[in-house]
């Protein structure tokens, strides 16, 4: 005895339901890829942020070392004048106080530098005690933003390439395709059907009667049309839900576009400000260094007093701190602008 059956059902036309389902799947895949790109950029941004923070901490440490050296020079100058009997002991005591403050600031800068270097090493998957060599902050040219381009071009690039916008557009396309799919599923469908059946299974003519041999076979081929007549209101509600989801995705896309535009504009202006401040602090530091040289020479010759020397020394230390802060702000602003445009790659970081 044997039984064999072959059935074929091939959907020929369904008013776009399959195409809509395929578009939905492709759009969801694009959304997932864009979200993955966004996550990778966030990781890269975090590492780059720690990299620039370590460079800034290194520059701050160097500035405090230079300030401590200057303070020691002032202390030595006052000590020589006290030993020569041409200055009061108060001059030396005031210089000692300034030198101690400089050593205190240097110790704090050393700690901040070690913490920043450890954080960067951890980002790289290394032990926080791993020694790293970083370029000096002075290597970065903060005097201009050559090759940056006008803000309108950056806004256009961000609207075109930002991962969050790519993901939002893909999610909107998926929602629209889902709406089309739900609508098409309520329409007729046309299928090609075929069947071939062969059976030699014994059959009984009635309850309690013995089985007798039987042979049956049937074959057919044709076109099948399925027409949904009434499904209650379930289909209607599904269509309304899909349309509402598409409207929600459209609103999310518009909100994301506004946020990206605002981010690019804000960070572009921050970079312009940081660039101007970097130029100003460079001039300020040069002036403060010249003023200290003159003040120290005047004090050593007896033409100035200790208060004048300590004043120009403090202004020099302040100028160094402002210079480091300006470079830090400039590096951070460039990083944030690159991230807001959506082009956070090694080329953008350079």
């Amino acid at each position: 005895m044997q039984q064999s059956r072959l059935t074929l059902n091939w959907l020929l036309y369904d008013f776009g339901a399959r195409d809509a389902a395929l578009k939905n799947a492709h759009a969801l895949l694009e959304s997932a890829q864009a979200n993955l790109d966004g996550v990778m950029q966030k990781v890269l941004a975090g590492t780059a942020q720690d990299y620039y923070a370590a460079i800034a901490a290194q520059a701050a440490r160097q500035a405090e070392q230079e300030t401590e050296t200057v303070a020691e020079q002032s202390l030595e100058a006052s000590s020589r004048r006290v030993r020569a009997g041409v200055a009061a002991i108060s001059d030396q005591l005031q210089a000692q106080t300034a030198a101690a403050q400089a050593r205190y600031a240097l110790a704090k800068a050393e700690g901040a530098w070690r913490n920043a270097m450890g954080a960067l090493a951890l980002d790289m998957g290394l032990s926080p005690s791993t020694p790293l060599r970083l370029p000096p902050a002075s290597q970065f040219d903060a005097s201009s933003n050559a090759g940056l381009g006008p803000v309108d071009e950056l806004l256009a690039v961000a609207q075109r390439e930002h991962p969050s916008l790519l993901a939002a557009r893909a999610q909107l396309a998926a929602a629209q395709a889902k709406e089309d799919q739900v609508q098409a599923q309520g329409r007729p469908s046309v299928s090609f059907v075929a069947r071939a059946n062969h059976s030699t299974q014994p059959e009984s003519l009635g309850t309690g009667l013995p089985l007798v041999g039987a042979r049956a076979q049937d074959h057919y081929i044709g076109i099948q049309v399925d027409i949904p007549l009434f499904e209650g209101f379930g289909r209607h509600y599904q269509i309304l839900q899909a349309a509402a989801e598409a409207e929600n995705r459209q609103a999310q896309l518009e909100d994301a576009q506004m946020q990206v535009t605002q981010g690019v504009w804000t960070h572009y202006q921050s970079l312009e400000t940081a660039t101007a401040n970097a130029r100003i602090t460079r001039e300020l530091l040069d002036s403060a260094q010249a003023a200290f040289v003159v003040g120290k020479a005047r004090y050593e010759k007896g033409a100035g007093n200790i208060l004048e020397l300590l004043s120009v020394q403090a202004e020099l230390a302040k100028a160094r701190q402002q210079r480091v802060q300006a470079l830090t702000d400039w590096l951070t602003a460039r990083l944030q602008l690159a991230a807001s445009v959506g082009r956070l790659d090694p080329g953008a970081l350079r």
Side-chain angles (χ1 to χ4, degrees), residues 233-261:
F233 295 99
R235 180 71 55 189
H236 175 69
Y237 293 140
Q238 290 176 5
I239 293 174
L240 291 180
Q241 181 180 3
E245 179 65 18
E247 292 179 1
N248 181 45
R249 294 298 185 183
Q250 177 66 43
Q252 291 179 355
L253 173 59
E254 293 174 356
D255 182 63
Q257 288 174 334
M258 183 178 299
Q259 291 182 4
V260 168
T261 300

Side-chain angles (χ1 to χ4, degrees), residues 18-332:
R18 288 178 302 180
D19 290 340
L22 184 60
K23 290 179 181 178
N24 175 265
H26 283 167
L28 291 177
L29 177 60
E30 291 176 3
S31 175
Q33 291 173 335
N35 285 327
L36 175 61
D37 187 24
V39 171
M40 293 178 63
Q41 290 210 21
K42 287 182 180 179
V43 173
L44 178 59
T47 304
Q49 184 68 40
D50 288 344
Y51 174 75
Y52 289 143
I55 291 177
Q58 178 178 266
R61 171 173 168 263
Q62 181 180 356
E64 294 300 342
Q65 287 175 336
E66 294 172 352
T67 297
E68 195 264 347
T69 300
V70 166
E72 292 295 338
Q73 292 175 355
S74 298
L75 175 59
E76 179 62 27
S78 63
S79 299
R80 286 198 302 267
R81 285 179 56 81
V82 169
R83 288 195 299 268
V86 294
I89 188 62
S90 60
D91 285 14
Q92 183 176 350
L93 294 176
Q94 291 183 72
Q96 285 178 344
T97 300
Q101 291 175 341
R103 288 193 293 271
Y104 172 78
L106 176 58
K108 288 186 64 177
E110 288 275 359
W113 171 72
R114 285 192 294 268
N115 285 334
M117 296 293 282
L120 179 59
L122 288 173
D123 288 340
M124 299 168 61
L126 304 174
S127 169
S129 61
T130 303
L132 301 175
R133 296 183 61 183
L134 300 180
S138 58
Q139 175 178 315
F140 298 92
D141 182 14
S143 60
S144 66
N145 294 315
L148 184 60
V151 65
D152 290 339
E153 291 184 5
L154 297 179
L155 288 170
V157 171
Q159 292 295 323
R160 225 175 28 245
E161 301 180 6
H162 198 282
S164 66
L165 296 185
L166 295 178
R169 292 191 185 101
Q171 289 170 356
L172 173 59
Q176 292 172 338
K178 183 65 175 179
E179 182 181 2
D180 295 339
Q181 180 185 0
V182 173
Q183 290 178 344
Q185 286 173 346
R187 298 169 184 154
S189 61
V190 180
S191 303
F192 171 80
V193 294
R195 173 174 171 169
N197 181 48
H198 177 76
S199 175
T200 58
Q201 183 76 25
E203 296 181 358
S204 174
L205 298 178
T207 304
L209 297 177
L211 297 175
V212 296
R215 179 183 180 88
Q217 62 181 1
D218 62 273
H219 308 276
Y220 67 81
I221 184 172
I223 299 297
Q224 176 179 312
V225 180
D226 294 323
I227 303 176
L229 297 178
F230 183 70
E231 299 177 311
F233 295 99
R235 180 71 55 189
H236 175 69
Y237 293 140
Q238 290 176 5
I239 293 174
L240 291 180
Q241 181 180 3
E245 179 65 18
E247 292 179 1
N248 181 45
R249 294 298 185 183
Q250 177 66 43
Q252 291 179 355
L253 173 59
E254 293 174 356
D255 182 63
Q257 288 174 334
M258 183 178 299
Q259 291 182 4
V260 168
T261 300
Q262 181 180 6
V264 173
W265 178 263
T266 300
H267 293 138
Y268 186 90
Q269 302 307 323
S270 297
L271 179 58
E272 290 290 304
T273 301
T275 303
N277 287 338
R279 289 194 294 265
I280 294 171
T281 53
R282 176 71 268 177
E283 297 172 0
L284 179 62
L285 180 57
D286 292 340
S287 299
Q289 288 174 333
F292 175 75
V293 171
V294 173
K296 182 171 177 289
R298 281 172 51 82
Y299 180 74
E300 290 176 341
K301 294 178 180 178
N305 55 46
I306 189 63
L307 294 180
E308 178 184 345
L309 176 60
L310 295 180
S311 176
V312 293
Q313 176 181 312
E315 289 298 323
L316 177 57
K318 181 179 178 181
R320 287 198 178 100
Q321 294 171 355
Q322 290 174 330
R323 176 60 178 170
V324 171
Q325 186 60 52
L327 289 174
T328 302
D329 292 343
W330 183 80
L331 291 171
T332 302

